[in-house]
Amino acid sequence: MENASVHGAEHAADAHALDRSVLSSVEDQDVRAERVKPGIVIRLPHDGDWRALHELVRKVHERTVFSHIPFSDRKYAAIEAQARNPQPHQCLLVADVAGRVVGLAWFSAGEYLLGEGTVLTTTHLLGIDSEFCGPFRAAKVFVKLLRGVAAWSKTRGAHQILVHVTTGYALKQTDRLIRAGGGVCIGGSYLVKA
């Protein structure tokens, strides 16, 4: 993981050295961020981020193939409650530029469905404010968030990350980004009308 880290101080047993950086578990409350590249910071959320995260998730929803489904503030509130107090197998990372929230990754680790002893990380949502970032910076934010997911995954013993692209938006660009980062296509998501 190239110079990316999220720091915390309380759970040293849960921390791993990664390329002269440390990624601690999400239980840490005293968190500070280290710059990944000038202008882009990947970190755990702060108390003041929740309103911006809510707006970002709304923007991401509006760009998806599911935008015709009304956004549920009630369901979002339930997910936010989980993200504010994550279980050890869950994490939310935030990307910010000059103090502005421009991206997020919500993911969890667990055993493979049909086997035992192997932990996989599943990304549930990886979204970027592409209007604010523009295509070039949005791609950089995406890659940095994915690197953050990879670093956290190692702390959970997961060596594989499942990235499900189900937005129906910018599919070719997303495919190129994931493949450039070493991703391999193992299937696909299809939408079939009932």
Side-chain angles (χ1 to χ4, degrees), residues 97-154:
V97 172
R100 177 184 173 130
V101 172
V102 297
L104 67 101
W106 172 242
F107 48 95
S108 61
E111 282 194 334
Y112 171 62
L113 177 67
L114 299 175
E116 294 181 17
T118 299
V119 177
L120 305 172
T121 296
T122 301
T123 57
H124 305 294
L125 178 62
L126 202 158
I128 292 117
D129 185 346
S130 56
E131 290 174 9
F132 176 79
C133 291
F136 181 70
R137 185 180 275 170
K140 290 175 89 172
V141 170
F142 182 92
V143 168
K144 298 303 177 196
L145 281 168
L146 202 49
R147 286 182 182 153
V149 174
W152 179 88
S153 296
K154 288 178 185 178

Side-chain angles (χ1 to χ4, degrees), residues 40-191:
I40 299 172
V41 176
I42 304 300
R43 59 175 173 76
L44 297 174
H46 299 151
D47 287 339
D49 292 335
W50 298 104
R51 182 181 200 89
L53 287 165
H54 182 255
E55 290 306 311
L56 176 58
V57 171
R58 276 183 167 279
K59 279 184 178 181
V60 169
H61 171 71
E62 289 169 7
R63 290 193 321 249
T64 72
V65 70
F66 305 109
S67 63
H68 66 283
I69 301 169
F71 184 86
S72 172
D73 288 316
R74 182 185 60 78
K75 285 187 174 182
Y76 174 83
I79 294 168
E80 181 181 307
Q82 278 187 331
R84 282 180 182 260
N85 297 297
Q87 298 294 315
H89 70 283
Q90 300 172 323
C91 187
L92 172 67
L93 290 179
V94 172
D96 84 36
V97 172
R100 177 184 173 130
V101 172
V102 297
L104 67 101
W106 172 242
F107 48 95
S108 61
E111 282 194 334
Y112 171 62
L113 177 67
L114 299 175
E116 294 181 17
T118 299
V119 177
L120 305 172
T121 296
T122 301
T123 57
H124 305 294
L125 178 62
L126 202 158
I128 292 117
D129 185 346
S130 56
E131 290 174 9
F132 176 79
C133 291
F136 181 70
R137 185 180 275 170
K140 290 175 89 172
V141 170
F142 182 92
V143 168
K144 298 303 177 196
L145 281 168
L146 202 49
R147 286 182 182 153
V149 174
W152 179 88
S153 296
K154 288 178 185 178
T155 72
R156 298 305 185 267
H159 301 288
Q160 294 176 312
I161 302 166
L162 299 172
V163 180
H164 305 288
V165 181
T166 59
T167 62
Y169 174 80
L171 298 177
K172 289 181 182 179
Q173 296 90 333
T174 304
D175 179 65
R176 280 196 304 267
L177 277 172
I178 294 172
R179 287 179 187 271
V184 176
C185 183
I186 60 169
S189 296
Y190 298 89
L191 182 64

